[in-house]
Amino acid sequence: MKQKMKSQLVFILGVLSVGLVSAVPSEVNDERLEGMFDDLVNDTINTILAKVNDPLEIPDLPLNFNSSFLNGYANITNFKLEGLRSIVATYINVQVLTMALNTTIDVPSIKLTTNYKLNVVIGEIIPFYGNGSISVTIHNIETLVAGRANITAGLSLSNVTVAFTLGDATFDLHGVLNNEELSLLIADVLNDVVVNFINDHVELISNIISSIAEELINSILNGGGKLAQMAQWKEAIEEIQINS
């Protein structure tokens, strides 16, 4: 059960990263390819969403950390993630000659709530602990994904770049260092600085998450796809490329 729940989290990360989630017009350079990538988008997302619940709920998720940066444990309980079905791909552009892909995904609202118990040491010197709850609501997430599509053996993406901006976010924390006043203070600080920090450091965050996103995206895409259909698309694309 826990393994299945963890797999669902991986699916969600993949969905949030690639944004291939609804039928929208794909801009291509030949009428024969109109709808091909939309079909693939729909097939892929239907496969993913069939395995993901909304809200996603995980009753118990124990975590252990063992590194010089973070050492200790955390236990996550009553985890709930809502808003997955609101994800919409608002723009998909594929340049047939180069197979360059650009897409924009909007997440109108997503909410995470969980209880936690935490006892870790940061950097081998700073103890950090707590026992309480966390609630985070984020509105208007816009995610931009760029890469190069390859359909030689199924669909995959390379040179992936992922960047996102947030509209607003609300944090509610309890139990940090077992101090309620400190928890409320930290929540206030997060409410004031997180959105601005993320939006002001898009490039830095993109450099950190893009390689991870590429691996997640490809792990999902490689799990499905119709090889016969892929071969047909590949033949059509190669014909256009040769004649251009």
Side-chain angles (χ1 to χ4, degrees):
M1 179 65 71
K2 291 179 181 178
Q3 184 62 38
K4 179 181 179 181
M5 293 172 180
K6 292 179 182 178
S7 298
Q8 290 183 340
L9 282 175
V10 172
F11 278 122
I12 291 166
L13 289 174
V15 172
L16 292 175
S17 298
V18 73
L20 303 180
V21 293
S22 68
V24 297
S26 294
E27 297 181 12
V28 294
N29 297 336
D30 189 278
E31 290 183 358
R32 287 171 295 172
L33 297 179
E34 288 287 351
M36 284 186 176
F37 289 98
D38 289 335
D39 289 342
L40 180 59
V41 166
N42 289 327
D43 288 346
T44 302
I45 194 57
N46 288 338
T47 299
I48 293 171
L49 291 182
K51 301 178 181 180
V52 177
N53 297 321
D54 187 5
L56 171 66
E57 297 181 277
I58 300 178
D60 183 44
L61 180 63
L63 301 171
N64 291 292
F65 310 101
N66 185 17
S67 70
S68 58
F69 174 74
L70 193 66
N71 188 276
Y73 75 91
N75 191 40
I76 306 300
T77 57
N78 299 320
F79 177 96
K80 180 184 290 187
L81 184 63
E82 304 174 75
L84 306 178
R85 298 294 172 88
S86 68
I87 300 171
V88 177
T90 57
Y91 174 75
I92 299 175
N93 175 267
V94 180
Q95 298 295 325
V96 176
L97 296 180
T98 62
M99 295 303 291
L101 167 71
N102 290 278
T103 183
T104 302
I105 333 102
D106 291 328
V107 185
S109 180
I110 195 165
K111 182 177 181 180
L112 181 155
T113 58
T114 188
N115 296 326
Y116 72 94
K117 186 174 183 180
L118 173 72
N119 191 345
V120 298
V121 176
I122 303 173
E124 299 183 343
I125 57 173
I126 303 175
F128 191 77
Y129 54 90
N131 187 356
S133 63
I134 299 172
S135 175
V136 183
T137 302
I138 305 174
H139 298 290
N140 301 322
I141 306 170
E142 182 180 77
T143 306
L144 307 176
V145 181
R148 185 178 184 277
N150 189 324
I151 59 172
T152 301
L155 177 66
S156 63
L157 298 180
S158 59
N159 301 321
V160 172
T161 300
V162 176
F164 63 91
T165 58
L166 308 181
D168 61 79
T170 303
F171 294 80
D172 185 29
L173 306 180
H174 300 278
V176 177
L177 299 180
N178 298 331
N179 186 315
E180 192 61 17
E181 291 185 3
L182 177 62
S183 299
L184 295 176
L185 177 61
I186 293 175
D188 287 340
V189 171
L190 292 175
N191 289 332
D192 290 337
V193 305
V194 166
V195 171
N196 288 337
F197 178 84
I198 290 176
N199 292 343
D200 290 342
H201 297 83
V202 171
E203 184 174 353
L204 173 63
I205 296 172
S206 175
N207 291 338
I208 295 172
I209 68 174
S210 290
S211 61
I212 300 172
E214 179 175 325
E215 183 177 349
L216 289 172
I217 291 168
N218 287 327
S219 69
I220 292 174
L221 295 178
N222 292 336
K226 300 178 180 179
L227 295 181
Q229 190 177 48
M230 289 287 188
Q232 179 183 0
W233 295 356
K234 182 174 182 289
E235 182 178 345
I237 292 170
E238 287 177 346
E239 181 181 345
I240 293 172
Q241 293 172 333
I242 291 173
N243 295 329
S244 299

